[in-house]
Amino acid sequence: MKMYFNQYSRSFLAGLLLLTAASCKKEYADPSGPSYDQAISSPNALADLTVGLQNWYTANRTSIIYTSIATGSLLTNETYVVNAGNADEGQLNAGGASLQNTNAVVTGMWAVSNKIIFDADRVLNNATAVIPDVNYRAGVVAYASLFKAMAIGNMSMFWTNVPDSTGSNVPFITSQEGYRKAVRVINGALNVLAQDTISATFRSNIPPGVNILSTLYALKARYALFAGDYDTALNTANKVTGTSTFNYNTVVTNPIFTLVTTTNNIYQVVDSAMGLPVGLQPDLADKRVPFYVGIGTNPKFRVKGFFTALTQSIPVFLPGEIMLIKAECYARKNEVSNGLTELNKVVTKQPAADAFGVGAGLPEEAATTQSELLTLIYKHRRIELFMSGMELEDQRRFSRPVAERKRSWLPFPFVERNDNTNIPQDPAF
């Protein structure tokens, strides 16, 4: 990848410790990096800051990729902790009251999400004044908006409330309002791209893999669905084309493979049931199971899927997710026949027909009522999007029994609670 991407991997863990120490005030100065003024003083500097957002989101144990996948999979019985010495993952594995406000995985997700929002705001607030080239600026604004929206959306998946801004003693909004805010951020980027195309110069300076326009549409469809805006989600899902990936190299490596798969020392897949209860577990012939779950000897079940190689890319969204968004939108609108048609595109899809090799290859499902269809959509979301970080949101949205998860929401980190009088009470479960 380009130098822009790699330069942000320096002293990552040390930087996060500095970050979390001050996260309650939403101040994110990095002593090892440029000053605030330097970071926004020129088009190149602002672009560097923008591209750095991807590294915060995707790299190392403190990335949102790692923390959201670990949290979602452990709390919904997809994975279990192999080594009890990993105390923070162990708290997630135990769930309930065992999950503390000081948990490093939870605190890291909160801090890095806020860091991304803070830096994205610096970019978005200064882009017009600093970048005269409208096409280069369009790329910067769209890219920064993409990661800001994902950070807001990710927090909304795990906390009952999220900060409404950055600064001291910030107010909070509900998670549903957070999803709607993420959609507004994306709409701002789409409005820019409707007027100005992204320059080739900007595209050459960002890591390959991310299809900016398709990702904006996919994320808008995702968060509109989560917010209950089914017409917007359906309309936007129909605009998604192509694929989009977070790419890795030998310097910035796939964090799940590096930390989990190859070490077998943090967590592993529970079994081929993929965290689903009896009645919803995968069909024995479902080809997605051997894609996501490896079979070995010690342990018998192992993490597979998009986490099998040092430099393996991780999709930002899957084609199957877009199909399932359409299916759910139709189902929520009580258009059962249309919803079933979209669902069966996922159910019958062969691995060879999918851009990433994710395919069930099963006979069509049958459903005659909205309730039956929604249950099937939930089942296939959990299988198609295994270890995606969206498990808790899905369980809550489909009103699954609380017995199927170890917590519904995360507690708020002490680094926020200790300095923000507006922070809500922790959820009971």
Side-chain angles (χ1 to χ4, degrees):
M1 293 182 183
K2 299 289 184 179
M3 180 180 67
Y4 290 139
F5 187 66
N6 291 339
Q7 72 183 37
Y8 280 88
S9 63
R10 65 185 187 279
S11 305
F12 197 86
L13 293 176
L16 182 72
L17 293 176
L18 292 171
L19 171 89
T20 54
S23 65
C24 49
K25 296 183 180 179
K26 306 294 184 299
E27 298 294 341
Y28 298 99
D30 179 1
S32 65
S35 69
Y36 179 91
D37 290 337
Q38 289 173 328
I40 60 173
S41 62
S42 70
N44 284 343
L46 207 59
D48 282 353
L49 184 63
T50 304
V51 177
L53 299 175
Q54 180 165 334
N55 208 42
W56 283 104
Y57 196 93
T58 63
N60 301 298
R61 192 168 184 166
T62 46
S63 68
I64 294 179
I65 288 286
Y66 178 85
T67 54
S68 63
I69 289 174
T71 301
S73 67
L74 286 166
L75 289 179
T76 58
N77 300 300
E78 289 180 342
T79 60
Y80 71 99
V81 170
V82 174
N83 182 352
N86 297 292
D88 296 292
E89 284 84 358
Q91 287 182 12
L92 290 165
N93 190 55
S98 298
L99 186 57
Q100 301 296 305
N101 304 74
T102 54
N103 185 279
V105 176
V106 172
T107 299
M109 190 195 307
W110 180 269
V112 170
S113 296
N114 279 292
K115 162 67 175 174
I116 289 172
I117 295 167
F118 177 81
D119 279 350
D121 280 345
R122 292 164 69 189
V123 171
L124 298 173
N125 292 337
N126 291 279
T128 300
V130 174
I131 306 174
D133 183 332
V134 294
N135 301 111
Y136 195 89
R137 184 168 68 232
V140 168
V141 169
Y143 208 63
S145 298
L146 187 156
F147 285 98
K148 178 180 179 179
M150 282 197 294
I152 295 170
N154 190 80
M155 294 178 76
S156 300
M157 288 194 295
F158 288 100
W159 281 277
T160 56
N161 300 79
V162 299
D164 191 28
S165 61
T166 58
S168 298
N169 216 40
V170 299
F172 279 72
I173 56 178
T174 66
S175 63
Q176 286 290 292
E177 292 168 333
Y179 291 136
R180 290 191 284 272
K181 182 173 183 177
V183 169
R184 290 195 298 273
V185 171
I186 294 168
N187 282 339
L190 291 173
N191 288 338
V192 169
L193 296 184
Q195 300 178 34
D196 303 302
T197 58
I198 299 173
S199 71
T201 303
F202 178 77
R203 292 186 185 278
S204 70
N205 283 330
I206 64 174
V210 176
N211 180 325
I212 296 176
L213 184 59
S214 284
T215 301
L216 288 170
Y217 283 139
L219 293 175
K220 180 177 176 179
R222 178 188 295 174
Y223 298 136
L225 172 71
F226 293 172
D229 186 351
Y230 306 124
D231 289 332
T232 296
L234 181 59
N235 180 61
T236 309
N238 283 322
K239 298 178 181 179
V240 179
T241 58
T243 62
S244 191
T245 57
F246 293 131
N247 291 358
Y248 295 93
N249 56 33
T250 55
V251 176
V252 183
T253 63
N254 182 308
I256 307 298
F257 174 80
T258 304
L259 297 163
V260 177
T261 313
T262 192
T263 67
N264 191 34
N265 188 50
I266 301 181
Y267 62 83
Q268 280 293 354
V269 176
V270 173
D271 55 30
S272 58
M274 304 177 85
L276 288 167
V278 174
L280 295 183
Q281 292 173 357
D283 188 288
L284 292 177
D286 194 324
K287 297 176 182 178
R288 294 170 297 187
V289 177
F291 177 86
Y292 281 117
V293 181
I295 304 296
T297 54
N298 186 28
K300 180 178 180 180
F301 301 101
R302 296 182 63 87
V303 171
K304 199 179 172 188
F306 300 106
F307 317 116
T308 62
L310 193 71
T311 61
Q312 185 175 8
S313 299
I314 298 175
V316 185
F317 62 90
L318 287 175
E321 180 189 359
I322 306 306
M323 298 173 190
L324 288 163
I325 287 173
K326 296 177 188 179
E328 185 177 344
C329 288
Y330 281 126
R332 300 289 181 185
K333 289 154 60 74
N334 205 24
E335 297 181 30
V336 175
S337 178
N338 287 336
L340 185 61
T341 296
E342 291 297 332
L343 172 63
N344 279 325
K345 291 178 183 178
V346 175
V347 174
T348 62
K349 175 162 54 78
Q350 294 291 339
D354 184 86
F356 298 101
V358 182
L362 295 171
E364 291 187 346
E365 296 275 19
T368 57
T369 68
Q370 181 186 47
S371 178
E372 291 174 345
L373 179 58
L374 286 171
T375 298
L376 288 171
I377 291 170
Y378 171 74
K379 169 185 174 178
H380 287 285
R381 277 188 65 90
R382 289 292 307 277
I383 301 171
E384 185 87 2
L385 308 178
F386 185 68
M387 287 183 66
S388 65
M390 291 186 276
E391 300 89 344
L392 279 180
E393 165 57 39
D394 284 355
Q395 286 196 340
R396 296 190 307 263
R397 193 173 71 260
F398 284 88
S399 301
R400 298 300 305 172
V402 294
E404 293 180 10
R405 55 187 175 270
K406 298 169 184 176
R407 276 194 77 97
S408 294
W409 300 97
L410 298 182
F412 294 96
F414 278 151
V415 294
E416 185 76 36
R417 181 168 298 286
N418 289 343
D419 200 52
N420 190 338
T421 59
N422 293 319
I423 196 167
Q425 292 297 310
D426 284 336
F429 183 78

